[in-house]
Amino acid sequence: QQKWEDSTVRGEMETKGKENERYWKGEQFQPTNLDVARPMVDNAIWEAMETHIPMATKKNPEPTVSLKIGEQEDEQKLSFTRQLTKKLAEIADEIKLRLKLKKAARFNELYLLSVAKIGWDLDKGIPTATVIRPEKMILDPDATIDEAEGYTGKYIGELRTMEADVMLRILKENGGEDEG
């Protein structure tokens, strides 16, 4: 955490993100620290994002389920893939995936980073997705991101807080303070 907080990468990312957010909110008429040559009339970031994001997220992503290459097709397997495709579409609606993708796209445009935490809802028995604000992330300043390998850093984390009494209750539920 300390390495990330002290890094110039974090500082630059945070500065650009805050400036982009101010501009997106319509505060572009105030002098900017990054680029004084920006047009003072149109809010280009807001216009571009609010045009692009609704088009990109017009409907939920369509799940695709197929048999493994070389797998012998039969009616039972094809019926299962159709049922699974339908169920995944229902789950996407239930967890409001489209709205979460809008949020991720907006964060990506403003802060140059978007992070989604994928998990499993134990109560409902379905996948979940949570989009995290980039400012809450702890990243490796030496990391790179590319399409083939993804994130190459040694660590990635999320800043979270928890009240002490909640933490003690969780520890006691999982074997006591010493074992927890």
Side-chain angles (χ1 to χ4, degrees), residues 19-152:
E19 184 65 23
N20 286 343
E21 185 174 8
R22 277 188 48 237
Y23 197 78
W24 175 70
K25 287 180 175 178
E27 298 170 359
Q28 74 272 24
F29 298 109
Q30 298 173 5
T32 64
N33 297 333
L34 296 178
D35 185 6
V36 294
R38 284 190 178 169
M40 300 301 276
V41 179
D42 294 332
N43 187 335
I45 291 177
W46 188 90
E47 186 177 328
M49 281 178 43
E50 300 309 318
T51 301
H52 170 259
I53 291 174
M55 289 190 307
T57 59
K58 191 182 328 187
K59 60 182 205 175
N60 274 334
E62 195 169 305
T64 304
V65 180
S66 61
L67 298 175
K68 185 172 79 171
I69 296 175
E71 181 81 21
Q72 184 70 26
E73 288 186 13
D74 64 35
E75 188 53 40
Q76 184 180 5
K77 291 176 185 175
L78 293 175
S79 173
F80 178 75
T81 60
R82 284 191 296 270
Q83 289 174 355
L84 185 56
T85 299
K86 183 179 176 185
K87 181 64 178 171
L88 289 173
E90 290 170 3
I91 290 170
D93 286 339
E94 185 175 342
I95 67 171
K96 298 174 179 56
L97 184 60
R98 188 171 61 94
L99 293 174
K100 292 175 183 182
L101 291 174
K102 281 184 179 185
K103 189 177 194 179
R106 190 168 283 116
F107 285 161
N108 195 60
E109 296 295 323
L110 293 176
Y111 302 104
L112 313 176
L113 174 69
S114 59
V115 178
K117 185 165 54 174
I118 308 301
W120 190 262
D121 185 329
L122 294 174
D123 296 330
K124 295 180 181 178
I126 60 173
T128 62
T130 306
V131 177
I132 302 167
R133 288 191 69 85
E135 302 100 286
K136 291 186 175 187
M137 296 305 301
I138 301 169
L139 304 169
D140 182 353
D142 301 322
T144 59
I145 299 174
D146 79 20
E147 293 176 19
E149 296 180 35
Y151 179 78
T152 64

